[in-house]
Amino acid sequence: MSSALTLLLFIIALPAAAASLYLLAMTLLSARTPAALRSSRRLRFDIIVPAHNEAAGIQNVIANLRKLDWPVDGYRILVVADNCTDATAALARAAGAEVLERHDSALRGKGYALDFAFQASQASGWAYAVIVIDADSEVSPNLLEAFSSRIESGAKAIQAHYGVLNARVSWRTRLMTIAMAAFHVLRSRARERLQLSCGIRGNGWCVTHRLLSQVPYRAFSLAEDVEYGIDLGLAGYRVHYAGEAHVNAEMVSGEQAARSQRQRWEQGRLRLIRSKTLPLLRAAAGGSVVCLDLLIDLFVLPLSYVALNVATLILFAAIAVLWMPDLEIWLTLGIACGLSLFLYVLRGWQLSGIGLIGLADLLRAPFFVLWKILLMIRTPRSGLWVRTRRENP
Protein backbone atom coordinates (compact mmCIF):
# COMPACT_ATOMS: atom_id res chain seq x y z
CA MET A 1 0.00 0.00 0.00
CA SER A 2 2.82 2.39 0.89
CA SER A 3 4.65 1.68 -2.37
CA ALA A 4 1.50 2.23 -4.42
CA LEU A 5 0.78 5.56 -2.70
CA THR A 6 4.38 6.68 -3.11
CA LEU A 7 4.29 5.87 -6.82
CA LEU A 8 1.00 7.74 -7.26
CA LEU A 9 2.31 10.79 -5.41
CA PHE A 10 5.54 10.70 -7.42
CA ILE A 11 3.59 10.71 -10.70
CA ILE A 12 1.52 13.69 -9.54
CA ALA A 13 4.49 15.52 -8.01
CA LEU A 14 6.96 15.26 -10.88
CA PRO A 15 5.32 17.74 -13.30
CA ALA A 16 4.16 19.98 -10.44
CA ALA A 17 7.64 20.25 -8.92
CA ALA A 18 9.38 20.71 -12.27
CA ALA A 19 7.05 23.51 -13.38
CA SER A 20 7.08 25.22 -9.98
CA LEU A 21 10.87 25.15 -9.75
CA TYR A 22 11.19 26.59 -13.25
CA LEU A 23 8.71 29.40 -12.54
CA LEU A 24 10.39 30.17 -9.23
CA ALA A 25 13.76 30.49 -10.99
CA MET A 26 12.21 32.83 -13.56
CA THR A 27 10.69 34.90 -10.73
CA LEU A 28 14.01 35.29 -8.95
CA LEU A 29 15.67 36.46 -12.18
CA SER A 30 12.96 38.96 -13.19
CA ALA A 31 14.70 42.20 -12.21
CA ARG A 32 14.71 44.93 -14.86
CA THR A 33 17.25 44.37 -17.61
CA PRO A 34 19.83 47.07 -18.55
CA ALA A 35 18.65 49.78 -20.96
CA ALA A 36 19.64 49.48 -24.61
CA LEU A 37 22.00 51.96 -26.29
CA ARG A 38 20.62 54.65 -28.60
CA SER A 39 20.39 53.75 -32.28
CA SER A 40 21.58 55.68 -35.32
CA ARG A 41 17.93 55.96 -36.49
CA ARG A 42 18.96 54.92 -39.99
CA LEU A 43 17.26 51.53 -40.36
CA ARG A 44 14.11 51.17 -42.44
CA PHE A 45 11.18 48.99 -41.41
CA ASP A 46 8.08 47.51 -42.99
CA ILE A 47 5.32 47.32 -40.37
CA ILE A 48 3.03 44.43 -41.29
CA VAL A 49 -0.58 44.61 -40.07
CA PRO A 50 -2.42 41.32 -40.80
CA ALA A 51 -6.13 42.09 -41.06
CA HIS A 52 -9.15 39.88 -41.63
CA ASN A 53 -12.38 41.94 -41.73
CA GLU A 54 -11.01 44.74 -39.52
CA ALA A 55 -12.92 47.64 -41.10
CA ALA A 56 -14.13 48.88 -37.71
CA GLY A 57 -10.67 49.54 -36.32
CA ILE A 58 -8.05 49.44 -39.07
CA GLN A 59 -7.81 53.22 -39.36
CA ASN A 60 -7.19 53.53 -35.62
CA VAL A 61 -4.13 51.28 -35.67
CA ILE A 62 -2.76 53.07 -38.74
CA ALA A 63 -3.24 56.46 -37.05
CA ASN A 64 -1.42 55.14 -33.98
CA LEU A 65 1.49 53.85 -36.09
CA ARG A 66 1.79 57.27 -37.72
CA LYS A 67 2.77 58.65 -34.30
CA LEU A 68 5.91 56.53 -33.96
CA ASP A 69 8.99 58.46 -32.96
CA TRP A 70 10.94 57.64 -36.13
CA PRO A 71 11.76 59.43 -39.39
CA VAL A 72 8.67 59.29 -41.61
CA ASP A 73 10.78 58.03 -44.51
CA GLY A 74 12.15 55.25 -42.32
CA TYR A 75 9.09 53.00 -42.18
CA ARG A 76 6.13 51.84 -44.23
CA ILE A 77 2.79 50.49 -43.03
CA LEU A 78 1.70 47.42 -45.01
CA VAL A 79 -1.80 46.15 -44.31
CA VAL A 80 -2.51 42.59 -45.45
CA ALA A 81 -6.24 42.45 -46.21
CA ASP A 82 -6.53 38.69 -45.99
CA ASN A 83 -9.71 37.13 -47.42
CA CYS A 84 -11.65 40.23 -46.37
CA THR A 85 -15.33 40.63 -47.21
CA ASP A 86 -15.66 44.15 -45.79
CA ALA A 87 -14.06 47.56 -46.48
CA THR A 88 -10.77 46.86 -44.67
CA ALA A 89 -8.62 47.39 -47.80
CA ALA A 90 -10.31 50.64 -48.88
CA LEU A 91 -10.22 52.14 -45.39
CA ALA A 92 -6.56 51.21 -44.93
CA ARG A 93 -5.65 52.91 -48.21
CA ALA A 94 -7.65 56.00 -47.23
CA ALA A 95 -5.67 56.12 -43.96
CA GLY A 96 -2.38 56.16 -45.89
CA ALA A 97 -1.23 52.56 -45.63
CA GLU A 98 -0.04 50.39 -48.47
CA VAL A 99 -2.44 47.49 -48.90
CA LEU A 100 -1.71 43.93 -49.97
CA GLU A 101 -4.90 42.05 -50.78
CA ARG A 102 -4.84 38.30 -50.52
CA HIS A 103 -7.62 35.91 -51.57
CA ASP A 104 -7.10 32.22 -51.01
CA SER A 105 -9.99 30.11 -49.75
CA ALA A 106 -7.78 27.05 -49.25
CA LEU A 107 -4.79 28.48 -47.36
CA ARG A 108 -6.37 30.53 -44.60
CA GLY A 109 -4.79 31.77 -41.39
CA LYS A 110 -2.60 34.47 -39.94
CA GLY A 111 0.55 32.53 -40.79
CA TYR A 112 -0.29 32.54 -44.51
CA ALA A 113 -1.08 36.27 -44.40
CA LEU A 114 2.29 37.01 -42.77
CA ASP A 115 4.19 34.84 -45.24
CA PHE A 116 2.49 36.70 -48.10
CA ALA A 117 3.49 40.08 -46.64
CA PHE A 118 7.05 39.01 -45.78
CA GLN A 119 7.62 37.87 -49.35
CA ALA A 120 6.26 41.14 -50.74
CA SER A 121 8.49 43.15 -48.40
CA GLN A 122 11.50 41.04 -49.26
CA ALA A 123 10.87 41.39 -52.99
CA SER A 124 10.79 45.18 -52.77
CA GLY A 125 14.21 45.29 -51.10
CA TRP A 126 13.31 48.54 -49.31
CA ALA A 127 13.21 47.58 -45.63
CA TYR A 128 15.95 46.11 -43.47
CA ALA A 129 13.47 44.37 -41.15
CA VAL A 130 9.76 43.65 -40.76
CA ILE A 131 7.55 44.19 -37.73
CA VAL A 132 4.22 42.47 -36.97
CA ILE A 133 1.46 44.50 -35.32
CA ASP A 134 -2.08 43.15 -34.87
CA ALA A 135 -5.02 45.21 -36.14
CA ASP A 136 -6.44 45.84 -32.65
CA SER A 137 -3.27 47.24 -31.10
CA GLU A 138 -1.67 50.44 -29.83
CA VAL A 139 2.12 50.76 -29.81
CA SER A 140 4.46 52.91 -27.76
CA PRO A 141 6.23 55.71 -29.71
CA ASN A 142 9.68 54.22 -28.98
CA LEU A 143 8.94 50.87 -30.66
CA LEU A 144 11.23 51.33 -33.68
CA GLU A 145 13.99 52.83 -31.55
CA ALA A 146 13.90 49.77 -29.27
CA PHE A 147 14.11 47.39 -32.23
CA SER A 148 16.74 49.41 -34.12
CA SER A 149 19.07 49.74 -31.14
CA ARG A 150 19.11 45.98 -30.63
CA ILE A 151 19.55 45.20 -34.32
CA GLU A 152 22.56 47.52 -34.43
CA SER A 153 23.92 45.63 -31.41
CA GLY A 154 23.65 42.30 -33.21
CA ALA A 155 20.09 41.08 -32.61
CA LYS A 156 18.18 39.61 -35.55
CA ALA A 157 14.82 38.92 -33.89
CA ILE A 158 13.22 41.01 -31.14
CA GLN A 159 9.98 40.89 -29.16
CA ALA A 160 8.51 43.98 -27.47
CA HIS A 161 6.36 43.73 -24.36
CA TYR A 162 2.91 42.47 -25.32
CA GLY A 163 0.22 43.78 -22.96
CA VAL A 164 -3.49 44.35 -22.56
CA LEU A 165 -5.08 47.52 -23.94
CA ASN A 166 -8.43 47.24 -22.15
CA ALA A 167 -7.00 45.95 -18.86
CA ARG A 168 -9.64 47.42 -16.54
CA VAL A 169 -12.91 46.64 -18.30
CA SER A 170 -13.62 43.35 -16.48
CA TRP A 171 -12.22 40.84 -14.03
CA ARG A 172 -11.32 38.62 -16.97
CA THR A 173 -9.12 41.25 -18.65
CA ARG A 174 -7.52 42.14 -15.31
CA LEU A 175 -6.60 38.49 -14.73
CA MET A 176 -5.29 38.40 -18.31
CA THR A 177 -3.16 41.47 -17.55
CA ILE A 178 -1.60 39.76 -14.53
CA ALA A 179 -1.06 36.53 -16.48
CA MET A 180 0.56 38.34 -19.40
CA ALA A 181 2.79 40.35 -17.07
CA ALA A 182 4.01 37.07 -15.59
CA PHE A 183 4.31 35.32 -18.94
CA HIS A 184 5.67 38.18 -21.06
CA VAL A 185 7.53 40.46 -18.65
CA LEU A 186 8.70 38.22 -15.82
CA ARG A 187 9.81 35.28 -17.96
CA SER A 188 11.21 37.45 -20.76
CA ARG A 189 13.35 39.46 -18.36
CA ALA A 190 14.75 36.27 -16.90
CA ARG A 191 15.49 34.81 -20.32
CA GLU A 192 17.15 38.01 -21.50
CA ARG A 193 19.32 37.97 -18.40
CA LEU A 194 20.33 34.38 -19.20
CA GLN A 195 20.86 35.13 -22.92
CA LEU A 196 18.01 32.78 -23.87
CA SER A 197 15.17 33.31 -26.33
CA CYS A 198 12.09 35.11 -25.04
CA GLY A 199 10.16 33.62 -27.97
CA ILE A 200 7.72 35.28 -30.33
CA ARG A 201 4.36 36.26 -28.86
CA GLY A 202 2.31 36.95 -31.99
CA ASN A 203 2.18 40.74 -31.70
CA GLY A 204 4.92 43.36 -31.51
CA TRP A 205 7.81 41.33 -32.90
CA CYS A 206 10.54 42.15 -35.38
CA VAL A 207 12.82 40.08 -37.59
CA THR A 208 15.46 41.16 -40.10
CA HIS A 209 15.15 40.20 -43.75
CA ARG A 210 18.56 38.59 -43.55
CA LEU A 211 17.27 36.21 -40.89
CA LEU A 212 14.05 35.61 -42.84
CA SER A 213 16.23 34.50 -45.75
CA GLN A 214 18.14 32.10 -43.51
CA VAL A 215 15.06 30.81 -41.63
CA PRO A 216 12.09 31.18 -44.01
CA TYR A 217 8.73 31.76 -42.40
CA ARG A 218 6.80 28.49 -42.54
CA ALA A 219 4.65 28.79 -39.41
CA PHE A 220 1.04 28.04 -40.35
CA SER A 221 -0.33 26.40 -37.19
CA LEU A 222 -2.85 27.83 -34.72
CA ALA A 223 0.14 28.98 -32.64
CA GLU A 224 2.15 30.39 -35.52
CA ASP A 225 4.03 32.82 -33.28
CA VAL A 226 5.38 30.21 -30.87
CA GLU A 227 6.11 27.92 -33.82
CA TYR A 228 8.34 30.44 -35.61
CA GLY A 229 10.10 31.32 -32.36
CA ILE A 230 10.95 27.62 -31.97
CA ASP A 231 12.09 27.43 -35.61
CA LEU A 232 14.48 30.31 -34.94
CA GLY A 233 15.83 28.55 -31.86
CA LEU A 234 16.36 25.32 -33.80
CA ALA A 235 18.31 27.33 -36.38
CA GLY A 236 20.55 28.74 -33.65
CA TYR A 237 18.99 32.17 -33.12
CA ARG A 238 17.42 33.65 -30.03
CA VAL A 239 14.68 36.27 -29.81
CA HIS A 240 15.81 39.31 -27.80
CA TYR A 241 13.47 41.13 -25.43
CA ALA A 242 12.78 44.88 -25.71
CA GLY A 243 10.89 45.52 -22.49
CA GLU A 244 10.98 49.31 -22.70
CA ALA A 245 8.65 49.29 -25.74
CA HIS A 246 5.16 47.90 -25.67
CA VAL A 247 2.35 46.78 -27.94
CA ASN A 248 -1.01 46.57 -26.20
CA ALA A 249 -3.94 44.73 -27.77
CA GLU A 250 -7.59 44.48 -26.89
CA MET A 251 -8.49 41.30 -25.03
CA VAL A 252 -12.00 39.90 -24.97
CA SER A 253 -13.95 40.33 -21.74
CA GLY A 254 -17.04 38.29 -22.59
CA GLU A 255 -17.14 34.56 -21.88
CA GLN A 256 -18.26 33.47 -25.35
CA ALA A 257 -15.55 35.30 -27.29
CA ALA A 258 -12.93 34.34 -24.70
CA ARG A 259 -13.93 30.69 -25.10
CA SER A 260 -13.28 30.76 -28.85
CA GLN A 261 -9.95 32.54 -28.44
CA ARG A 262 -8.74 30.29 -25.62
CA GLN A 263 -9.62 27.11 -27.53
CA ARG A 264 -7.46 28.20 -30.45
CA TRP A 265 -4.52 29.06 -28.19
CA GLU A 266 -4.67 25.83 -26.19
CA GLN A 267 -5.16 23.53 -29.16
CA GLY A 268 -2.33 25.24 -31.04
CA ARG A 269 0.03 24.74 -28.12
CA LEU A 270 -0.82 21.04 -27.75
CA ARG A 271 -0.20 20.47 -31.46
CA LEU A 272 3.20 22.14 -31.17
CA ILE A 273 4.11 19.84 -28.29
CA ARG A 274 3.47 16.90 -30.58
CA SER A 275 5.42 18.30 -33.54
CA LYS A 276 8.35 20.13 -31.91
CA THR A 277 9.32 17.99 -28.93
CA LEU A 278 11.71 15.65 -30.76
CA PRO A 279 13.51 18.38 -32.76
CA LEU A 280 14.01 20.43 -29.59
CA LEU A 281 15.20 17.37 -27.68
CA ARG A 282 17.79 16.61 -30.35
CA ALA A 283 19.02 20.20 -30.37
CA ALA A 284 19.16 20.33 -26.56
CA ALA A 285 21.09 17.05 -26.50
CA GLY A 286 23.51 18.63 -28.96
CA GLY A 287 24.28 21.40 -26.48
CA SER A 288 21.75 24.14 -27.33
CA VAL A 289 20.72 25.80 -24.08
CA VAL A 290 18.30 28.02 -26.02
CA CYS A 291 16.47 24.96 -27.35
CA LEU A 292 16.46 23.33 -23.91
CA ASP A 293 14.70 26.38 -22.49
CA LEU A 294 12.26 26.49 -25.42
CA LEU A 295 11.46 22.83 -24.76
CA ILE A 296 10.86 23.48 -21.06
CA ASP A 297 8.72 26.50 -21.90
CA LEU A 298 6.65 24.41 -24.29
CA PHE A 299 5.98 21.80 -21.62
CA VAL A 300 5.23 24.24 -18.80
CA LEU A 301 1.50 24.40 -19.37
CA PRO A 302 -0.55 27.55 -18.66
CA LEU A 303 -0.57 28.56 -15.01
CA SER A 304 -4.13 27.33 -14.38
CA TYR A 305 -3.12 23.75 -15.23
CA VAL A 306 0.04 23.95 -13.13
CA ALA A 307 -2.01 25.27 -10.21
CA LEU A 308 -4.50 22.42 -10.62
CA ASN A 309 -1.62 19.93 -10.62
CA VAL A 310 -0.18 21.43 -7.42
CA ALA A 311 -3.60 21.49 -5.73
CA THR A 312 -4.10 17.82 -6.63
CA LEU A 313 -0.70 16.97 -5.14
CA ILE A 314 -1.51 18.77 -1.88
CA LEU A 315 -4.93 17.11 -1.63
CA PHE A 316 -3.70 13.58 -2.31
CA ALA A 317 -0.67 14.02 -0.05
CA ALA A 318 -2.84 15.32 2.81
CA ILE A 319 -5.15 12.30 2.49
CA ALA A 320 -2.18 9.90 2.32
CA VAL A 321 -0.61 11.40 5.47
CA LEU A 322 -3.76 10.59 7.44
CA TRP A 323 -3.02 6.88 6.94
CA MET A 324 0.75 6.95 6.62
CA PRO A 325 2.48 9.87 8.40
CA ASP A 326 5.83 8.88 6.89
CA LEU A 327 4.57 10.24 3.53
CA GLU A 328 4.61 13.76 4.95
CA ILE A 329 7.45 14.76 2.63
CA TRP A 330 5.02 14.76 -0.30
CA LEU A 331 2.74 17.20 1.49
CA THR A 332 5.73 19.41 2.24
CA LEU A 333 6.71 19.31 -1.42
CA GLY A 334 3.17 20.24 -2.47
CA ILE A 335 3.11 23.22 -0.12
CA ALA A 336 6.53 24.34 -1.40
CA CYS A 337 5.22 24.17 -4.98
CA GLY A 338 2.19 26.19 -3.94
CA LEU A 339 4.39 28.87 -2.37
CA SER A 340 6.50 29.03 -5.55
CA LEU A 341 3.39 29.62 -7.65
CA PHE A 342 2.19 32.23 -5.16
CA LEU A 343 5.46 34.18 -5.54
CA TYR A 344 5.25 33.89 -9.33
CA VAL A 345 1.68 35.22 -9.43
CA LEU A 346 2.46 37.96 -6.90
CA ARG A 347 5.41 39.12 -9.01
CA GLY A 348 3.19 39.06 -12.10
CA TRP A 349 0.63 41.21 -10.27
CA GLN A 350 3.36 43.64 -9.24
CA LEU A 351 4.67 43.95 -12.79
CA SER A 352 1.16 44.33 -14.23
CA GLY A 353 0.50 47.63 -12.43
CA ILE A 354 -3.17 46.69 -12.18
CA GLY A 355 -3.39 47.72 -8.53
CA LEU A 356 -5.22 46.29 -5.53
CA ILE A 357 -8.29 45.36 -7.54
CA GLY A 358 -6.16 42.75 -9.26
CA LEU A 359 -5.54 40.99 -5.94
CA ALA A 360 -9.31 40.75 -5.41
CA ASP A 361 -9.75 39.39 -8.92
CA LEU A 362 -7.28 36.61 -8.17
CA LEU A 363 -9.95 35.13 -5.88
CA ARG A 364 -11.82 34.24 -9.06
CA ALA A 365 -8.88 32.16 -10.30
CA PRO A 366 -10.36 28.77 -9.22
CA PHE A 367 -13.44 29.43 -11.35
CA PHE A 368 -11.19 30.43 -14.25
CA VAL A 369 -9.31 27.12 -13.92
CA LEU A 370 -12.58 25.17 -13.98
CA TRP A 371 -13.70 27.12 -17.07
CA LYS A 372 -10.49 26.24 -18.92
CA ILE A 373 -10.76 22.56 -18.06
CA LEU A 374 -14.29 22.44 -19.44
CA LEU A 375 -13.04 24.14 -22.60
CA MET A 376 -10.35 21.57 -23.22
CA ILE A 377 -12.72 18.58 -23.09
CA ARG A 378 -14.94 20.09 -25.79
CA THR A 379 -14.57 19.50 -29.51
CA PRO A 380 -11.43 21.23 -30.87
CA ARG A 381 -11.84 24.13 -33.24
CA SER A 382 -10.64 24.11 -36.85
CA GLY A 383 -7.34 25.61 -37.96
CA LEU A 384 -8.94 28.53 -39.83
CA TRP A 385 -8.21 32.16 -39.00
CA VAL A 386 -11.28 32.95 -36.90
CA ARG A 387 -11.42 36.66 -36.20
CA THR A 388 -11.98 37.42 -32.52
CA ARG A 389 -14.93 39.73 -32.05
CA ARG A 390 -13.76 43.26 -31.17
CA GLU A 391 -15.63 44.71 -28.24
CA ASN A 392 -14.42 48.30 -28.47
CA PRO A 393 -13.75 49.17 -32.15
Side-chain angles (χ1 to χ4, degrees):
M1 183 66 176
S2 176
S3 298
L5 278 175
T6 300
L7 178 60
L8 174 63
L9 291 171
F10 175 79
I11 293 172
I12 298 173
L14 183 60
S20 299
L21 180 61
Y22 179 74
L23 295 179
L24 178 61
M26 295 288 104
T27 302
L28 297 176
L29 292 169
S30 63
R32 188 185 297 274
T33 54
L37 300 174
R38 295 290 297 177
S39 76
S40 66
R41 298 174 65 87
R42 294 176 181 173
L43 294 182
R44 296 191 297 194
F45 298 90
D46 273 341
I47 303 177
I48 311 297
V49 182
H52 175 63
N53 289 343
E54 296 286 358
I58 191 65
Q59 291 186 311
N60 291 337
V61 69
I62 294 171
N64 175 246
L65 292 172
R66 291 293 184 198
K67 298 176 183 177
L68 285 167
D69 181 16
W70 199 252
V72 293
D73 59 351
Y75 70 100
R76 302 186 303 185
I77 302 171
L78 305 182
V79 173
V80 189
D82 188 83
N83 289 292
C84 291
T85 57
D86 63 1
T88 295
L91 290 172
R93 287 192 186 96
E98 297 185 31
V99 178
L100 305 172
E101 294 192 62
R102 178 179 178 273
H103 300 282
D104 191 326
S105 58
L107 302 178
R108 299 171 60 89
K110 183 179 177 181
Y112 293 107
L114 291 179
D115 181 46
F116 182 75
F118 292 162
Q119 290 189 44
S121 174
Q122 213 155 14
S124 74
W126 183 84
Y128 187 84
V130 290
I131 298 168
V132 176
I133 302 294
D134 284 351
D136 61 345
S137 304
E138 286 187 3
V139 308
S140 60
N142 65 334
L143 185 71
L144 299 187
E145 170 62 33
F147 289 158
S148 183
S149 63
R150 283 167 175 79
I151 290 173
E152 291 180 354
S153 297
K156 295 178 176 61
I158 312 104
Q159 172 69 57
H161 167 55
Y162 181 18
V164 180
L165 182 60
N166 55 334
R168 301 184 181 275
V169 302
S170 75
W171 67 268
R172 194 183 301 277
T173 58
R174 289 191 292 270
L175 281 181
M176 179 68 75
T177 303
I178 296 172
M180 291 182 75
F183 189 73
H184 293 304
V185 184
L186 186 157
R187 295 199 208 182
S188 295
R189 284 185 179 183
R191 291 194 178 100
E192 187 66 22
R193 193 172 299 281
L194 295 171
Q195 300 293 289
L196 300 173
S197 177
C198 76
I200 289 174
R201 303 309 179 194
N203 194 7
W205 59 279
C206 172
V207 62
T208 66
H209 272 303
R210 182 172 299 177
L211 183 56
L212 270 176
S213 298
Q214 295 170 337
V215 188
Y217 187 86
R218 296 291 183 267
F220 305 121
S221 68
L222 288 173
E224 82 291 328
D225 51 345
V226 180
E227 182 181 2
Y228 190 59
I230 291 174
D231 290 342
L232 291 177
L234 290 170
Y237 298 96
R238 76 180 187 94
V239 181
H240 296 241
Y241 179 59
E244 75 274 21
H246 67 259
V247 176
N248 293 336
E250 179 188 329
M251 298 294 162
V252 294
S253 59
E255 193 273 339
Q256 184 174 0
R259 180 191 305 137
S260 171
Q261 187 180 69
R262 181 59 61 176
Q263 280 179 321
R264 294 197 300 276
W265 288 349
E266 304 291 359
Q267 291 298 326
R269 187 182 187 91
L270 290 175
R271 291 174 189 175
L272 281 183
I273 289 175
R274 290 195 292 267
S275 64
K276 297 297 185 182
T277 295
L278 287 179
L280 286 172
L281 269 175
R282 286 194 291 266
S288 173
V289 180
V290 167
C291 287
L292 175 61
D293 178 70
L294 288 170
L295 179 64
I296 295 172
D297 181 61
L298 193 59
F299 271 86
V300 175
L301 295 178
L303 183 61
S304 54
Y305 300 125
V306 179
L308 179 64
N309 186 188
V310 171
T312 302
L313 172 61
I314 293 174
L315 176 62
F316 276 58
I319 295 173
V321 167
L322 293 177
W323 279 278
M324 299 180 181
D326 58 325
L327 297 178
E328 186 180 4
I329 187 173
W330 296 105
L331 180 58
T332 302
L333 177 61
I335 293 172
C337 291
L339 289 174
S340 298
L341 293 188
F342 174 76
L343 291 175
Y344 174 76
V345 172
L346 193 64
R347 179 61 169 156
W349 165 77
Q350 181 187 36
L351 292 171
S352 74
I354 202 68
L356 292 177
I357 190 172
L359 291 178
D361 290 323
L362 286 173
L363 298 176
R364 300 176 184 261
F367 301 100
F368 188 69
V369 172
L370 178 61
W371 173 75
K372 288 185 67 174
I373 293 171
L374 292 175
L375 274 184
M376 292 306 295
I377 63 177
R378 295 180 180 180
T379 304
R381 299 292 296 265
S382 72
L384 298 180
W385 186 359
V386 181
R387 176 185 178 274
T388 300
R389 180 176 62 86
R390 308 299 184 210
E391 298 174 331
N392 189 27

